[in-house]
Amino acid sequence: MASPLHPVNQRRATVLLAGQAVPAAAIRSGPEAFQEVLARAKTQFGSALCQCKRSPLRLVIRERNNKLHLACWPDQAQEHALDCPFYSIEGQGGRAAYDQGAITPDGNDTKIKLHHPVVQKRTEASRDSEAKSRSRLHIWGLLHHLWESAGLNRWYPGWTRDWGMVRYVLRRAAQTTTVDNEPLLPSLYVPPPWSHKRRDAIAQQWSQFKHPLITNHRGTNTVFSGFIIGSIKSMEKTPYGFAIRMHHMGEPIYIDEATSARLASYSRKGWAAARLLDTTSQKAGPADTTAHVIAALRVQASASRTLVAIEGAMMRVSKAWIPVSSSYEEAMADALVESDRRFVRPLHYDIHHLDQPHFVLTDCADPQGRDPLPRKVAMFVYGKGIDEAYQAKIERNDADLAQRLGYGMWSWNTKTSTTPTLPAVHPSVTAEPRAAPPQSSDTAPASAN
Ligand SMILES: [Zn+2]
């Protein structure tokens, strides 16, 4: 078990518990250390108060397996500040579209079920691989669950994010996730930032991850899978498919033609961007070689000890690791981060054709200047590929969606304007304190081995 993990980017919010202020992030990720004060608050006050916003939000004190923990008041998870560890988007987006039982909150943990089991008996018929059923998650669902639980699809002024931080928060999310009732963390490898000084520790972590896969390789009766989440450095063509190379990782992952075709069909944008990262191809023209693409791969070992991807998702992200699906959305995400805005990128999970805003800004002024509180604005980015004939219809649908959600509407048509003017910030937001200066992620992830 790792030492208690303290989120580096969530230092601002505190929880008021029986008159005592407790860091929200610490009690969220490690309620074990706060049992006494939780018990006192439960008998004396019945609840706790989250102070992430000016008007505090009540938190429920729940008991599970004789242990107390804090949870959001029903339907209030979205009301918490974006940098509050109690914020989540319950009941919306791709996460809400699964059948009951696919993603189950369980106290402080989340139980998820996958279509493809981590341990596969060769004699068992594999579960229907193309199953449309929403009773379980495919790999996009797993990747988006981790990304969202790690808070990587949102932004708050003052935050910073590098690969060390991304790894740290992903592993923290994996630490509270079980897959088919087994802990996810031991089956997940997120390459640590390469450091010559730490090369022995890094090599040891890699072999620890790989060992059970090699012992139970594809030629044995019980085949083990593991998950790798990394940032793609290049994809090279091989006689049988591709070799995927990740940043901070020496060993390539191989993927055959059939699997890569399947992956490409569910990851069109990510796949296209990743192909341009291919350093061996000599493509002329202004190739978008600076894109960041995250690969989430389910891997198994071959009898010859190489790792083979048997399922995967490729997700394009912005410089701040916010998921995007085009260079325009990336420009938008960069502009929002650079302008210190508060926003969320809704995630589709396995439901690829979900109508969702591209971004939701949460700090906007009411254009009439009457609303005392910031309002949410749904943002839509229209790329150059949209057929003129459909443009008006798409905009109408999006306006309806924004209205249904109760949000304002903002859009950027990249065909007609180059520099979008962002919605104005609500005056109360500029008066609020920013997040505490983040500590260097060099120290945080090192403790999270
Ligand atoms: Zn809060």
Side-chain angles (χ1 to χ4, degrees), residues 180-200:
D180 299 330
N181 293 319
E182 292 292 328
L184 172 61
L185 194 57
S187 308
L188 175 70
Y189 186 76
V190 185
W194 171 250
S195 133
H196 190 70
K197 237 170 57 193
R198 297 191 62 241
R199 66 187 185 282
D200 291 344

Side-chain angles (χ1 to χ4, degrees), residues 50 52 80-81 84 86:
C50 186
C52 63
H80 289 262
C84 174
F86 289 97

Side-chain angles (χ1 to χ4, degrees), residues 120 218 225 254-255 259 262 298-300 308-312:
Q120 224 164 350
R218 287 164 71 79
S225 295
Y254 295 93
I255 184 164
T259 311
R262 217 164 37 239
R298 187 160 74 97
V299 295
Q300 295 177 345
V308 182
I310 47 168
E311 189 189 8

